PDB file of all heavy atoms in Angstrom:
ATOM      1  N   TRP A 669     -38.164 -57.872 -17.599  1.00 95.00           N
ATOM      2  CA  TRP A 669     -37.786 -58.426 -16.291  1.00 95.00           C
ATOM      3  C   TRP A 669     -36.406 -57.972 -15.820  1.00 95.00           C
ATOM      4  O   TRP A 669     -36.121 -57.949 -14.613  1.00 95.00           O
ATOM      5  CB  TRP A 669     -37.829 -59.959 -16.339  1.00 95.00           C
ATOM      6  CG  TRP A 669     -36.835 -60.587 -17.276  1.00 95.00           C
ATOM      7  CD1 TRP A 669     -37.030 -60.851 -18.593  1.00 95.00           C
ATOM      8  CD2 TRP A 669     -35.511 -61.009 -16.960  1.00 95.00           C
ATOM      9  NE1 TRP A 669     -35.898 -61.415 -19.135  1.00 95.00           N
ATOM     10  CE2 TRP A 669     -34.949 -61.536 -18.160  1.00 95.00           C
ATOM     11  CE3 TRP A 669     -34.738 -61.013 -15.809  1.00 95.00           C
ATOM     12  CZ2 TRP A 669     -33.657 -62.035 -18.220  1.00 95.00           C
ATOM     13  CZ3 TRP A 669     -33.446 -61.518 -15.861  1.00 95.00           C
ATOM     14  CH2 TRP A 669     -32.924 -62.029 -17.048  1.00 95.00           C
ATOM     15  N   GLY A 670     -35.544 -57.568 -16.750  1.00 93.00           N
ATOM     16  CA  GLY A 670     -34.204 -57.132 -16.360  1.00 93.00           C
ATOM     17  C   GLY A 670     -34.144 -55.683 -15.887  1.00 93.00           C
ATOM     18  O   GLY A 670     -33.128 -55.254 -15.317  1.00 93.00           O
ATOM     19  N   ILE A 671     -35.222 -54.928 -16.085  1.00 93.00           N
ATOM     20  CA  ILE A 671     -35.208 -53.491 -15.761  1.00 93.00           C
ATOM     21  C   ILE A 671     -34.950 -53.215 -14.273  1.00 93.00           C
ATOM     22  O   ILE A 671     -34.107 -52.372 -13.938  1.00 93.00           O
ATOM     23  CB  ILE A 671     -36.520 -52.813 -16.225  1.00 93.00           C
ATOM     24  CG1 ILE A 671     -36.634 -52.882 -17.747  1.00 93.00           C
ATOM     25  CG2 ILE A 671     -36.585 -51.360 -15.743  1.00 93.00           C
ATOM     26  CD1 ILE A 671     -37.982 -52.412 -18.284  1.00 93.00           C
ATOM     27  N   PRO A 672     -35.647 -53.892 -13.342  1.00 94.00           N
ATOM     28  CA  PRO A 672     -35.445 -53.545 -11.919  1.00 94.00           C
ATOM     29  C   PRO A 672     -34.220 -54.197 -11.285  1.00 94.00           C
ATOM     30  O   PRO A 672     -33.996 -54.047 -10.081  1.00 94.00           O
ATOM     31  CB  PRO A 672     -36.734 -54.077 -11.259  1.00 94.00           C
ATOM     32  CG  PRO A 672     -37.140 -55.220 -12.112  1.00 94.00           C
ATOM     33  CD  PRO A 672     -36.752 -54.858 -13.512  1.00 94.00           C
ATOM     34  N   MET A 673     -33.402 -54.899 -12.066  1.00 91.00           N
ATOM     35  CA  MET A 673     -32.233 -55.580 -11.507  1.00 91.00           C
ATOM     36  C   MET A 673     -31.055 -54.649 -11.256  1.00 91.00           C
ATOM     37  O   MET A 673     -30.164 -54.966 -10.471  1.00 91.00           O
ATOM     38  CB  MET A 673     -31.765 -56.689 -12.466  1.00 91.00           C
ATOM     39  CG  MET A 673     -32.712 -57.860 -12.585  1.00 91.00           C
ATOM     40  SD  MET A 673     -32.137 -59.036 -13.829  1.00 91.00           S
ATOM     41  CE  MET A 673     -30.586 -59.560 -13.089  1.00 91.00           C
ATOM     42  N   ALA A 674     -31.020 -53.507 -11.945  1.00 85.00           N
ATOM     43  CA  ALA A 674     -29.793 -52.704 -12.011  1.00 85.00           C
ATOM     44  C   ALA A 674     -29.677 -51.678 -10.889  1.00 85.00           C
ATOM     45  O   ALA A 674     -30.666 -51.186 -10.363  1.00 85.00           O
ATOM     46  CB  ALA A 674     -29.730 -52.003 -13.359  1.00 85.00           C
ATOM     47  N   THR A 675     -28.426 -51.364 -10.538  1.00 87.00           N
ATOM     48  CA  THR A 675     -28.107 -50.270  -9.610  1.00 87.00           C
ATOM     49  C   THR A 675     -27.290 -49.223 -10.352  1.00 87.00           C
ATOM     50  O   THR A 675     -26.332 -49.559 -11.036  1.00 87.00           O
ATOM     51  CB  THR A 675     -27.288 -50.786  -8.406  1.00 87.00           C
ATOM     52  OG1 THR A 675     -28.104 -51.639  -7.612  1.00 87.00           O
ATOM     53  CG2 THR A 675     -26.799 -49.633  -7.533  1.00 87.00           C
ATOM     54  N   ASP A 676     -27.667 -47.968 -10.225  1.00 82.00           N
ATOM     55  CA  ASP A 676     -26.944 -46.892 -10.895  1.00 82.00           C
ATOM     56  C   ASP A 676     -25.823 -46.402  -9.983  1.00 82.00           C
ATOM     57  O   ASP A 676     -26.074 -45.760  -8.958  1.00 82.00           O
ATOM     58  CB  ASP A 676     -27.901 -45.739 -11.221  1.00 82.00           C
ATOM     59  CG  ASP A 676     -27.246 -44.686 -12.095  1.00 82.00           C
ATOM     60  OD1 ASP A 676     -26.305 -44.028 -11.617  1.00 82.00           O
ATOM     61  OD2 ASP A 676     -27.669 -44.535 -13.246  1.00 82.00           O
ATOM     62  N   ILE A 677     -24.583 -46.710 -10.359  1.00 75.00           N
ATOM     63  CA  ILE A 677     -23.441 -46.391  -9.494  1.00 75.00           C
ATOM     64  C   ILE A 677     -23.241 -44.888  -9.342  1.00 75.00           C
ATOM     65  O   ILE A 677     -22.942 -44.393  -8.253  1.00 75.00           O
ATOM     66  CB  ILE A 677     -22.158 -47.071 -10.021  1.00 75.00           C
ATOM     67  CG1 ILE A 677     -21.016 -46.918  -9.009  1.00 75.00           C
ATOM     68  CG2 ILE A 677     -21.744 -46.544 -11.374  1.00 75.00           C
ATOM     69  CD1 ILE A 677     -19.817 -47.793  -9.336  1.00 75.00           C
ATOM     70  N   ALA A 678     -23.440 -44.126 -10.422  1.00 71.00           N
ATOM     71  CA  ALA A 678     -23.218 -42.676 -10.363  1.00 71.00           C
ATOM     72  C   ALA A 678     -24.269 -41.993  -9.490  1.00 71.00           C
ATOM     73  O   ALA A 678     -23.947 -41.179  -8.614  1.00 71.00           O
ATOM     74  CB  ALA A 678     -23.222 -42.087 -11.769  1.00 71.00           C
ATOM     75  N   TYR A 679     -25.529 -42.319  -9.729  1.00 78.00           N
ATOM     76  CA  TYR A 679     -26.608 -41.718  -8.940  1.00 78.00           C
ATOM     77  C   TYR A 679     -26.471 -42.104  -7.465  1.00 78.00           C
ATOM     78  O   TYR A 679     -26.623 -41.268  -6.567  1.00 78.00           O
ATOM     79  CB  TYR A 679     -27.967 -42.198  -9.458  1.00 78.00           C
ATOM     80  CG  TYR A 679     -28.844 -41.096  -9.981  1.00 78.00           C
ATOM     81  CD1 TYR A 679     -29.451 -41.186 -11.230  1.00 78.00           C
ATOM     82  CD2 TYR A 679     -29.092 -39.958  -9.221  1.00 78.00           C
ATOM     83  CE1 TYR A 679     -30.260 -40.179 -11.723  1.00 78.00           C
ATOM     84  CE2 TYR A 679     -29.900 -38.940  -9.696  1.00 78.00           C
ATOM     85  CZ  TYR A 679     -30.485 -39.064 -10.946  1.00 78.00           C
ATOM     86  OH  TYR A 679     -31.283 -38.055 -11.420  1.00 78.00           O
ATOM     87  N   SER A 680     -26.197 -43.400  -7.225  1.00 82.00           N
ATOM     88  CA  SER A 680     -26.085 -43.881  -5.843  1.00 82.00           C
ATOM     89  C   SER A 680     -24.967 -43.168  -5.089  1.00 82.00           C
ATOM     90  O   SER A 680     -25.153 -42.711  -3.959  1.00 82.00           O
ATOM     91  CB  SER A 680     -25.821 -45.393  -5.844  1.00 82.00           C
ATOM     92  OG  SER A 680     -26.873 -46.086  -6.490  1.00 82.00           O
ATOM     93  N   LEU A 681     -23.803 -43.066  -5.738  1.00 75.00           N
ATOM     94  CA  LEU A 681     -22.681 -42.384  -5.093  1.00 75.00           C
ATOM     95  C   LEU A 681     -22.930 -40.880  -4.983  1.00 75.00           C
ATOM     96  O   LEU A 681     -22.411 -40.228  -4.077  1.00 75.00           O
ATOM     97  CB  LEU A 681     -21.389 -42.659  -5.859  1.00 75.00           C
ATOM     98  CG  LEU A 681     -20.800 -44.057  -5.647  1.00 75.00           C
ATOM     99  CD1 LEU A 681     -19.604 -44.270  -6.557  1.00 75.00           C
ATOM    100  CD2 LEU A 681     -20.390 -44.263  -4.200  1.00 75.00           C
ATOM    101  N   GLY A 682     -23.716 -40.347  -5.913  1.00 75.00           N
ATOM    102  CA  GLY A 682     -24.081 -38.933  -5.824  1.00 75.00           C
ATOM    103  C   GLY A 682     -24.889 -38.658  -4.567  1.00 75.00           C
ATOM    104  O   GLY A 682     -24.646 -37.675  -3.855  1.00 75.00           O
ATOM    105  N   ILE A 683     -25.856 -39.512  -4.287  1.00 81.00           N
ATOM    106  CA  ILE A 683     -26.666 -39.365  -3.076  1.00 81.00           C
ATOM    107  C   ILE A 683     -25.808 -39.559  -1.830  1.00 81.00           C
ATOM    108  O   ILE A 683     -25.887 -38.795  -0.862  1.00 81.00           O
ATOM    109  CB  ILE A 683     -27.824 -40.389  -3.071  1.00 81.00           C
ATOM    110  CG1 ILE A 683     -28.766 -40.146  -4.279  1.00 81.00           C
ATOM    111  CG2 ILE A 683     -28.600 -40.315  -1.765  1.00 81.00           C
ATOM    112  CD1 ILE A 683     -29.409 -38.788  -4.303  1.00 81.00           C
ATOM    113  N   ILE A 684     -24.946 -40.595  -1.858  1.00 79.00           N
ATOM    114  CA  ILE A 684     -24.039 -40.848  -0.734  1.00 79.00           C
ATOM    115  C   ILE A 684     -23.117 -39.642  -0.518  1.00 79.00           C
ATOM    116  O   ILE A 684     -22.834 -39.239   0.612  1.00 79.00           O
ATOM    117  CB  ILE A 684     -23.196 -42.114  -0.990  1.00 79.00           C
ATOM    118  CG1 ILE A 684     -24.072 -43.357  -0.988  1.00 79.00           C
ATOM    119  CG2 ILE A 684     -22.088 -42.243   0.040  1.00 79.00           C
ATOM    120  CD1 ILE A 684     -24.730 -43.661   0.326  1.00 79.00           C
ATOM    121  N   GLY A 685     -22.656 -39.046  -1.630  1.00 72.00           N
ATOM    122  CA  GLY A 685     -21.787 -37.877  -1.548  1.00 72.00           C
ATOM    123  C   GLY A 685     -22.467 -36.705  -0.874  1.00 72.00           C
ATOM    124  O   GLY A 685     -21.844 -35.948  -0.110  1.00 72.00           O
ATOM    125  N   LEU A 686     -23.771 -36.533  -1.132  1.00 75.00           N
ATOM    126  CA  LEU A 686     -24.526 -35.443  -0.518  1.00 75.00           C
ATOM    127  C   LEU A 686     -24.650 -35.632   1.000  1.00 75.00           C
ATOM    128  O   LEU A 686     -24.814 -34.662   1.738  1.00 75.00           O
ATOM    129  CB  LEU A 686     -25.922 -35.352  -1.142  1.00 75.00           C
ATOM    130  CG  LEU A 686     -25.972 -34.907  -2.612  1.00 75.00           C
ATOM    131  CD1 LEU A 686     -27.392 -34.987  -3.140  1.00 75.00           C
ATOM    132  CD2 LEU A 686     -25.429 -33.486  -2.778  1.00 75.00           C
ATOM    133  N   LEU A 687     -24.570 -36.882   1.446  1.00 78.00           N
ATOM    134  CA  LEU A 687     -24.663 -37.164   2.881  1.00 78.00           C
ATOM    135  C   LEU A 687     -23.336 -36.933   3.596  1.00 78.00           C
ATOM    136  O   LEU A 687     -23.289 -36.898   4.830  1.00 78.00           O
ATOM    137  CB  LEU A 687     -25.119 -38.610   3.101  1.00 78.00           C
ATOM    138  CG  LEU A 687     -26.501 -38.972   2.542  1.00 78.00           C
ATOM    139  CD1 LEU A 687     -26.810 -40.435   2.808  1.00 78.00           C
ATOM    140  CD2 LEU A 687     -27.577 -38.081   3.134  1.00 78.00           C
ATOM    141  N   GLY A 688     -22.261 -36.805   2.809  1.00 73.00           N
ATOM    142  CA  GLY A 688     -20.953 -36.462   3.356  1.00 73.00           C
ATOM    143  C   GLY A 688     -20.456 -37.437   4.394  1.00 73.00           C
ATOM    144  O   GLY A 688     -20.497 -38.655   4.215  1.00 73.00           O
ATOM    145  N   LYS A 689     -19.987 -36.912   5.535  1.00 74.00           N
ATOM    146  CA  LYS A 689     -19.363 -37.731   6.578  1.00 74.00           C
ATOM    147  C   LYS A 689     -20.376 -38.526   7.396  1.00 74.00           C
ATOM    148  O   LYS A 689     -20.005 -39.250   8.316  1.00 74.00           O
ATOM    149  CB  LYS A 689     -18.534 -36.843   7.500  1.00 74.00           C
ATOM    150  CG  LYS A 689     -17.330 -36.206   6.793  1.00 74.00           C
ATOM    151  CD  LYS A 689     -16.495 -35.387   7.745  1.00 74.00           C
ATOM    152  CE  LYS A 689     -15.281 -34.787   7.031  1.00 74.00           C
ATOM    153  NZ  LYS A 689     -14.462 -33.961   7.942  1.00 74.00           N
ATOM    154  N   ASN A 690     -21.668 -38.389   7.070  1.00 76.00           N
ATOM    155  CA  ASN A 690     -22.678 -39.191   7.751  1.00 76.00           C
ATOM    156  C   ASN A 690     -22.619 -40.654   7.318  1.00 76.00           C
ATOM    157  O   ASN A 690     -23.265 -41.506   7.933  1.00 76.00           O
ATOM    158  CB  ASN A 690     -24.081 -38.636   7.469  1.00 76.00           C
ATOM    159  CG  ASN A 690     -24.308 -37.287   8.117  1.00 76.00           C
ATOM    160  OD1 ASN A 690     -24.296 -37.187   9.346  1.00 76.00           O
ATOM    161  ND2 ASN A 690     -24.489 -36.257   7.324  1.00 76.00           N
ATOM    162  N   VAL A 691     -21.872 -40.920   6.252  1.00 82.00           N
ATOM    163  CA  VAL A 691     -21.756 -42.285   5.725  1.00 82.00           C
ATOM    164  C   VAL A 691     -20.321 -42.773   5.890  1.00 82.00           C
ATOM    165  O   VAL A 691     -19.394 -42.112   5.413  1.00 82.00           O
ATOM    166  CB  VAL A 691     -22.156 -42.327   4.231  1.00 82.00           C
ATOM    167  CG1 VAL A 691     -21.992 -43.740   3.673  1.00 82.00           C
ATOM    168  CG2 VAL A 691     -23.584 -41.839   4.046  1.00 82.00           C
ATOM    169  N   PRO A 692     -20.100 -43.922   6.538  1.00 84.00           N
ATOM    170  CA  PRO A 692     -18.739 -44.465   6.689  1.00 84.00           C
ATOM    171  C   PRO A 692     -18.114 -44.758   5.327  1.00 84.00           C
ATOM    172  O   PRO A 692     -18.806 -45.198   4.403  1.00 84.00           O
ATOM    173  CB  PRO A 692     -18.958 -45.768   7.469  1.00 84.00           C
ATOM    174  CG  PRO A 692     -20.302 -45.642   8.092  1.00 84.00           C
ATOM    175  CD  PRO A 692     -21.112 -44.771   7.192  1.00 84.00           C
ATOM    176  N   ARG A 693     -16.823 -44.530   5.212  1.00 76.00           N
ATOM    177  CA  ARG A 693     -16.143 -44.785   3.947  1.00 76.00           C
ATOM    178  C   ARG A 693     -16.278 -46.245   3.517  1.00 76.00           C
ATOM    179  O   ARG A 693     -16.428 -46.544   2.340  1.00 76.00           O
ATOM    180  CB  ARG A 693     -14.659 -44.416   4.061  1.00 76.00           C
ATOM    181  CG  ARG A 693     -13.885 -44.696   2.768  1.00 76.00           C
ATOM    182  CD  ARG A 693     -12.469 -44.200   2.814  1.00 76.00           C
ATOM    183  NE  ARG A 693     -11.749 -44.614   1.623  1.00 76.00           N
ATOM    184  CZ  ARG A 693     -11.844 -44.036   0.432  1.00 76.00           C
ATOM    185  NH1 ARG A 693     -12.653 -43.004   0.269  1.00 76.00           N
ATOM    186  NH2 ARG A 693     -11.160 -44.477  -0.598  1.00 76.00           N
ATOM    187  N   GLN A 694     -16.251 -47.171   4.463  1.00 81.00           N
ATOM    188  CA  GLN A 694     -16.371 -48.584   4.124  1.00 81.00           C
ATOM    189  C   GLN A 694     -17.724 -48.909   3.503  1.00 81.00           C
ATOM    190  O   GLN A 694     -17.838 -49.828   2.698  1.00 81.00           O
ATOM    191  CB  GLN A 694     -16.145 -49.452   5.370  1.00 81.00           C
ATOM    192  CG  GLN A 694     -14.702 -49.563   5.810  1.00 81.00           C
ATOM    193  CD  GLN A 694     -13.824 -50.212   4.749  1.00 81.00           C
ATOM    194  OE1 GLN A 694     -14.249 -51.104   4.030  1.00 81.00           O
ATOM    195  NE2 GLN A 694     -12.585 -49.747   4.647  1.00 81.00           N
ATOM    196  N   LEU A 695     -18.747 -48.129   3.860  1.00 85.00           N
ATOM    197  CA  LEU A 695     -20.067 -48.341   3.253  1.00 85.00           C
ATOM    198  C   LEU A 695     -20.067 -47.895   1.794  1.00 85.00           C
ATOM    199  O   LEU A 695     -20.705 -48.517   0.946  1.00 85.00           O
ATOM    200  CB  LEU A 695     -21.138 -47.581   4.042  1.00 85.00           C
ATOM    201  CG  LEU A 695     -22.587 -47.927   3.686  1.00 85.00           C
ATOM    202  CD1 LEU A 695     -22.865 -49.402   3.966  1.00 85.00           C
ATOM    203  CD2 LEU A 695     -23.558 -47.056   4.476  1.00 85.00           C
ATOM    204  N   LYS A 696     -19.324 -46.822   1.506  1.00 80.00           N
ATOM    205  CA  LYS A 696     -19.184 -46.373   0.121  1.00 80.00           C
ATOM    206  C   LYS A 696     -18.456 -47.443  -0.710  1.00 80.00           C
ATOM    207  O   LYS A 696     -18.855 -47.718  -1.849  1.00 80.00           O
ATOM    208  CB  LYS A 696     -18.406 -45.051   0.073  1.00 80.00           C
ATOM    209  CG  LYS A 696     -19.099 -43.886   0.759  1.00 80.00           C
ATOM    210  CD  LYS A 696     -18.243 -42.626   0.703  1.00 80.00           C
ATOM    211  CE  LYS A 696     -18.896 -41.480   1.472  1.00 80.00           C
ATOM    212  NZ  LYS A 696     -18.057 -40.255   1.452  1.00 80.00           N
ATOM    213  N   ILE A 697     -17.416 -48.017  -0.128  1.00 77.00           N
ATOM    214  CA  ILE A 697     -16.665 -49.063  -0.831  1.00 77.00           C
ATOM    215  C   ILE A 697     -17.550 -50.283  -1.057  1.00 77.00           C
ATOM    216  O   ILE A 697     -17.533 -50.897  -2.127  1.00 77.00           O
ATOM    217  CB  ILE A 697     -15.404 -49.442  -0.031  1.00 77.00           C
ATOM    218  CG1 ILE A 697     -14.440 -48.255   0.008  1.00 77.00           C
ATOM    219  CG2 ILE A 697     -14.718 -50.664  -0.630  1.00 77.00           C
ATOM    220  CD1 ILE A 697     -13.251 -48.446   0.917  1.00 77.00           C
ATOM    221  N   PHE A 698     -18.356 -50.621  -0.041  1.00 84.00           N
ATOM    222  CA  PHE A 698     -19.309 -51.734  -0.166  1.00 84.00           C
ATOM    223  C   PHE A 698     -20.278 -51.473  -1.308  1.00 84.00           C
ATOM    224  O   PHE A 698     -20.566 -52.367  -2.112  1.00 84.00           O
ATOM    225  CB  PHE A 698     -20.069 -51.911   1.154  1.00 84.00           C
ATOM    226  CG  PHE A 698     -21.055 -53.040   1.165  1.00 84.00           C
ATOM    227  CD1 PHE A 698     -20.662 -54.322   1.549  1.00 84.00           C
ATOM    228  CD2 PHE A 698     -22.381 -52.840   0.815  1.00 84.00           C
ATOM    229  CE1 PHE A 698     -21.569 -55.380   1.572  1.00 84.00           C
ATOM    230  CE2 PHE A 698     -23.290 -53.886   0.830  1.00 84.00           C
ATOM    231  CZ  PHE A 698     -22.882 -55.155   1.213  1.00 84.00           C
ATOM    232  N   LEU A 699     -20.782 -50.235  -1.400  1.00 85.00           N
ATOM    233  CA  LEU A 699     -21.718 -49.869  -2.466  1.00 85.00           C
ATOM    234  C   LEU A 699     -21.060 -49.959  -3.832  1.00 85.00           C
ATOM    235  O   LEU A 699     -21.674 -50.450  -4.796  1.00 85.00           O
ATOM    236  CB  LEU A 699     -22.258 -48.456  -2.227  1.00 85.00           C
ATOM    237  CG  LEU A 699     -23.157 -47.884  -3.338  1.00 85.00           C
ATOM    238  CD1 LEU A 699     -24.396 -48.746  -3.529  1.00 85.00           C
ATOM    239  CD2 LEU A 699     -23.540 -46.438  -3.042  1.00 85.00           C
TER     240      LEU A 699
END
Side-chain angles (χ1 to χ4, degrees):
W669 64 271
I671 296 172
M673 291 175 63
T675 293
D676 188 294
I677 189 169
Y679 242 130
S680 300
L681 285 174
I683 298 300
I684 293 296
L686 292 175
L687 299 179
K689 294 183 179 179
N690 292 296
V691 178
R693 179 174 174 79
Q694 285 298 325
L695 191 61
K696 296 178 184 179
I697 294 172
F698 181 89
L699 175 61

